[in-house]
């Protein structure tokens, strides 16, 4: 069976609530999406909670998956990221920031970090950021969400989202300068 046939078979089985298909889908994508969950929650226990909540959404909404719009992995990843966002909204208070920020954020710090460190080290470095700042930075810089989308997720202003990204860059740059 090729990958497309397997994907079709799994999605069709999940639409029929076939437990074996659900199990195969869950474990087939587990390694790929658990890293997203761990990166967002900082610990394995919470990551598994997010993963399971995300897969619950996957199984409830599998009929909405449209292979013509993207890969199954991309669709599952989006639901897992949304589950992580829901978890983080419950766990942390995202407050408005009323401080001015420099719009000329230092993007080079992120590129330097990627070049200098391995992925595991980057995850550890990101975890040194304050939780709200880390979450918003990950969504913006790593997951590609816009400030408008992030503001909608957490009921904050776009300016607050921009401030958190700027603050993350400042803190990451300091970290990089001291890590030399």
């Amino acid at each position: 069976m090729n990958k497309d046939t397997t994907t079709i078979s799994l999605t069709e089985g999940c639409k029929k609530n076939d437990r074996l298909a659900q199990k195969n889908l869950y474990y087939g994508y587990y390694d790929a999406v658990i890293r997203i969950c761990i990166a967002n929650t900082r610990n394995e226990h919470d990551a598994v909670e997010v993963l399971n909540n995300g897969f619950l959404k996957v199984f409830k909404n599998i009929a909405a998956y449209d292979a013509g719009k993207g890969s199954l992995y991309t669709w599952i990843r989006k639901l897992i990221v949304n589950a992580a966002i829901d978890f983080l909204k419950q766990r942390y208070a995202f407050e408005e920031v009323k401080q001015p920020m420099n719009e000329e954020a230092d993007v080079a710090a992120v590129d330097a970090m990627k070049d200098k460190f391995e992925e595991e080290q980057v995850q550890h470095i990101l975890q040194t950021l304050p939780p709200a700042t880390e979450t918003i930075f990950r969504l913006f810089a790593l997951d590609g969400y816009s400030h408008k989308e992030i503001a909608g997720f957490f009921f904050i202003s776009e300016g607050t989202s921009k401030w958190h990204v700027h603050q993350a860059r400042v803190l990451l740059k300091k970290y990089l300068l001291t890590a030399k």
Side-chain angles (χ1 to χ4, degrees):
M1 238 196 272
N2 68 29
K3 188 173 182 171
D4 291 336
T5 306
T6 302
T7 299
I8 292 168
S9 174
L10 285 176
T11 56
E12 290 303 316
C14 289
K15 286 177 187 177
K16 296 175 185 171
N17 288 320
D18 178 331
R19 298 291 182 220
L20 181 59
Q22 290 173 336
K23 177 182 175 184
N24 288 335
L25 184 73
Y26 180 90
Y27 287 110
Y29 288 93
Y30 182 90
D31 288 340
V33 294
I34 191 67
R35 290 192 315 254
I36 296 166
C37 299
I38 290 171
N40 283 291
T41 61
R42 297 184 176 196
N43 71 66
E44 194 170 336
H45 180 265
D46 290 341
V48 170
E49 180 181 336
V50 168
L51 180 81
N52 289 334
N53 288 338
F55 267 104
L56 184 60
K57 289 179 181 187
V58 167
F59 296 137
K60 282 184 174 182
N61 297 297
I62 194 75
Y65 169 65
D66 181 358
K69 292 183 178 178
S71 72
L72 182 59
Y73 169 75
T74 302
W75 184 77
I76 289 173
R77 184 181 184 280
K78 182 174 182 173
L79 291 177
I80 296 294
V81 168
N82 287 340
I85 290 167
D86 292 343
F87 175 85
L88 294 167
K89 280 196 285 193
Q90 290 175 347
R91 180 65 55 100
Y92 302 110
F94 289 84
E95 299 174 6
E96 286 290 317
V97 175
K98 302 291 184 197
Q99 296 178 343
M101 62 166 261
N102 177 359
E103 288 291 330
E104 300 294 321
D106 187 5
V107 179
V110 178
D111 293 334
M113 186 172 67
K114 288 179 182 177
D115 292 341
K116 188 173 180 178
F117 299 100
E118 298 294 322
E119 182 179 347
E120 188 174 304
Q121 292 172 308
V122 171
Q123 296 303 329
H124 174 73
I125 294 166
L126 291 177
Q127 289 178 354
T128 65
L129 297 172
T133 300
E134 176 193 359
T135 299
I136 291 172
F137 180 77
R138 283 181 185 280
L139 290 170
F140 180 79
L142 303 177
D143 294 328
Y145 286 96
S146 70
H147 289 295
K148 184 176 183 175
E149 291 170 313
I150 295 167
F153 294 149
F154 298 111
F155 307 107
I156 58 176
S157 70
E158 287 181 50
T160 296
S161 176
K162 289 176 183 178
W163 181 86
H164 279 287
V165 171
H166 172 74
Q167 188 65 16
R169 288 179 172 146
V170 167
L171 294 171
L172 292 172
K173 188 173 182 180
K174 279 184 191 176
Y175 185 94
L176 290 172
L177 291 173
T178 59
K180 287 185 176 181

